Amino acid sequence: MSFRLSQRDKDIIGFINQFRAVDRDSLVELFFKQLKSPVNACNSVMVRLYRLGLIERTQQYSPTVYLPVDAKIKKNSQKILHFLSILDVYKQMCTYSVPKNVIVEDKPTGRKGGIEPDLFCIFKGSPFWIEIQRNQYSEQKMQAKINLYEEFFFSDEWQALHWQPEDRPALCPSVILITPVRYAVNSDHIRIIQVASIHELMEKYKSSAKSQKEARTKTAPSSGGIRINLT
């Protein structure tokens, strides 16, 4: 059977393969919002791609959620909600700046038992590993997670990751915990940021930038806010 795919078709299929589970409304927002009837246009395209066998779908959610054709998760799996939460963080970032070098469920160590952030990306010039906590965990478990990041930091393996800049020293990503709960975790080597959303992160950055600017005008050092390059 021969058929021709548009560049948008290919982009949609690639996006679903990358994020593993993508709801219809997110596709409308990311690929169709400039059209006169974005929802109808999206529905038409997705039905066609589904009938061509290029994507899978589950209608156990409303709106419909689309999956890769070789998805290894059940159509009623709680894992789908996990992937949708990753997608939501990505979309929040896109309202400020489109992230680069996006890796869903990054496994930078390549080993079982190493760090496995839900998302890696370069956002507004800075590299981040992002952990999305949909459930509440003990502080001991969360500190153990941070300890794994410290182990990876001391291994120096992060300096050779493929996204590292070639023309300047390697950068170790900060770790963002997306969580409604604040954990008493700490690290002397990895920058840990706890926020409920990317929107809160950006509000903190704006407040920090304002405080630092005011402090400079008073020739006093700034100690408040988060110090991250988000430019």
Side-chain angles (χ1 to χ4, degrees):
M1 180 179 181
S2 62
F3 50 85
R4 178 172 295 179
L5 297 178
S6 69
Q7 186 58 52
R8 184 179 62 192
D9 291 340
K10 295 175 184 177
D11 291 343
I12 289 171
I13 294 168
F15 191 81
I16 292 171
N17 288 339
Q18 181 181 28
F19 281 87
R20 321 286 175 82
V22 182
D23 63 284
R24 192 276 313 276
D25 286 355
S26 292
L27 290 169
V28 169
E29 179 181 344
L30 295 168
F31 294 98
F32 297 91
K33 65 180 179 181
Q34 77 282 6
L35 301 181
K36 185 176 181 180
S37 301
V39 173
N40 290 339
C42 180
N43 288 339
S44 177
V45 169
M46 301 314 292
V47 166
R48 175 169 54 82
L49 294 179
Y50 174 71
R51 289 175 176 171
L52 288 172
L54 299 174
I55 55 171
E56 267 297 342
R57 69 184 183 188
T58 173
Q59 294 177 311
Q60 302 210 16
Y61 300 87
S62 181
T64 300
V65 171
Y66 295 92
L67 312 168
V69 72
D70 60 348
K72 297 179 180 179
I73 53 177
K74 295 180 179 179
K75 293 184 178 182
N76 61 350
S77 171
Q78 287 294 306
K79 190 76 170 172
I80 289 176
L81 296 177
H82 166 70
F83 287 125
L84 291 177
S85 68
I86 296 175
L87 175 61
D88 183 62
V89 168
Y90 171 82
K91 289 194 302 176
Q92 287 183 47
M93 287 183 160
C94 286
T95 64
Y96 302 97
S97 178
V98 177
K100 300 177 181 178
N101 297 84
V102 175
I103 305 173
V104 176
E105 291 198 328
D106 191 16
K107 296 178 175 61
T109 68
R111 299 185 297 273
K112 188 174 179 62
I115 63 171
E116 295 185 1
D118 297 313
L119 188 67
F120 167 81
C121 67
I122 296 176
F123 178 54
K124 296 184 76 65
S126 296
F128 294 98
W129 283 313
I130 302 175
E131 297 271 0
I132 302 168
Q133 307 303 317
R134 295 176 52 239
N135 300 308
Q136 184 170 348
Y137 297 98
S138 68
E139 291 192 341
Q140 291 84 352
K141 185 170 183 177
M142 293 302 296
Q143 185 61 55
K145 187 187 290 281
I146 299 304
N147 292 345
L148 287 177
Y149 280 96
E150 288 200 329
E151 287 178 19
F152 190 55
F153 172 81
F154 285 117
S155 76
D156 287 337
E157 293 176 31
W158 55 271
Q159 298 187 33
L161 294 174
H162 71 89
W163 50 264
Q164 289 285 6
E166 297 180 358
D167 57 346
R168 58 185 188 275
L171 302 170
C172 184
S174 301
V175 176
I176 299 177
L177 301 180
I178 304 288
T179 168
V181 179
R182 297 298 184 267
Y183 294 98
V185 295
N186 62 81
S187 170
D188 293 329
H189 308 283
I190 303 289
R191 181 178 288 121
I192 310 296
I193 305 159
Q194 300 190 60
V195 290
S197 66
I198 296 300
H199 299 312
E200 182 183 339
L201 172 70
M202 297 307 294
E203 285 299 316
K204 281 191 172 186
Y205 166 70
K206 285 165 58 179
S207 298
S208 174
K210 182 178 179 181
S211 297
Q212 291 176 22
K213 184 176 180 180
E214 291 174 349
R216 282 196 297 270
T217 62
K218 298 176 183 178
T219 66
S222 171
S223 59
I226 56 174
R227 292 173 291 173
I228 310 173
N229 170 26
L230 286 175
T231 57

